[in-house]
Amino acid sequence: MELMRYLEETKFDAVLTDPFLPCGQIVAEHLSLPSVYFLQQMPCGIPCGLDFEATQCPNPPSYVPRAFTDLTDHMSFLQRVKNLLFDTQNLFLCDFAFQPYSKLASEFLQREVTVLDLLRKGSVWLLRLEFVLDYPRPLMPNIIPIGGVHCAHKELPQVGHALFSLLVCPRPVMLLS
């Protein structure tokens, strides 16, 4: 509680966090701060496509192959059915995997809340994805692609420490002042 008191008194402007584990979102919701999500897309993205659902990006299983199915974007009818069946198991998996975080958030925030509710409150999504390796997807206005061949080349004056910190600690929670 001493840490939370310190964070409340410091008056930060935003919370920069990786939404894979919702601890940063819980802190941001408690402090009533906007969330900036830093997410690397598959295979390290959010399981079960919660990032698609939270940002309201279309992700139909009849057209978008699911991870680990070895399907392409050109599927036969039976492959589309397989893709749909593979996608339905995510409904149960997500409830099981994120239930402890929903319970933690509900207890801490003293109201009923789900992980999806927390993800939907993201102000900006900094998405590290590579269209060459992943299937194209629509991007909502609050999603900013960073990195990869689809972004403009820019010279970085100091890459060493920042790159090292991202490689060593890829899921930071940082409060911005």
Side-chain angles (χ1 to χ4, degrees):
M1 291 315 282
E2 184 179 325
L3 175 62
M4 292 308 295
R5 221 176 0 263
Y6 167 75
L7 294 175
E8 288 170 354
E9 292 170 358
T10 308
K11 305 285 187 206
F12 288 100
D13 296 326
V15 175
L16 174 65
T17 183
D18 187 324
F20 184 81
L21 297 176
C23 298
Q25 293 95 297
I26 295 170
V27 171
E29 182 67 20
H30 176 71
L31 297 175
S32 299
L33 292 175
S35 299
V36 178
Y37 298 148
F38 180 77
L39 177 67
Q40 180 172 345
Q41 203 51 24
M42 290 303 290
C44 302
I46 301 177
C48 311
L50 284 180
D51 51 338
F52 286 96
E53 194 170 343
T55 58
Q56 299 179 353
C57 285
N59 191 23
S62 57
Y63 292 100
V64 181
R66 298 305 183 233
F68 309 116
T69 59
D70 294 327
L71 297 173
T72 67
D73 56 340
H74 299 287
M75 295 182 273
S76 68
F77 176 73
L78 291 177
Q79 289 173 326
R80 291 177 198 275
V81 171
K82 173 187 173 185
N83 200 43
L84 178 66
L85 292 175
F86 195 87
D87 194 46
T88 56
Q89 71 183 358
N90 285 339
L91 299 173
F92 305 108
L93 177 66
C94 276
D95 287 341
F96 177 74
F98 288 112
Q99 182 61 32
Y101 295 105
S102 295
K103 184 179 176 183
L104 172 71
S106 296
E107 289 176 8
F108 186 73
L109 298 172
Q110 299 176 349
R111 62 183 166 85
E112 196 64 30
V113 67
T114 65
V115 172
L116 188 57
D117 294 335
L118 293 171
L119 286 173
R120 285 183 176 144
K121 296 194 177 191
S123 299
V124 176
W125 291 70
L126 302 176
L127 192 61
R128 289 184 58 207
L129 59 93
E130 186 67 62
F131 286 128
V132 174
L133 302 175
D134 200 6
Y135 293 103
R137 63 179 275 193
L139 298 177
M140 297 299 142
N142 64 337
I143 298 175
I144 301 170
I146 57 174
V149 296
H150 58 279
C151 294
H153 174 71
K154 296 177 184 173
E155 292 292 325
L156 298 175
Q158 289 184 334
V159 180
H161 179 70
L163 182 59
F164 179 75
S165 65
L166 285 175
L167 293 175
V168 172
C169 183
R171 303 207 182 279
V173 174
M174 185 183 316
L175 298 170
L176 304 173
S177 60

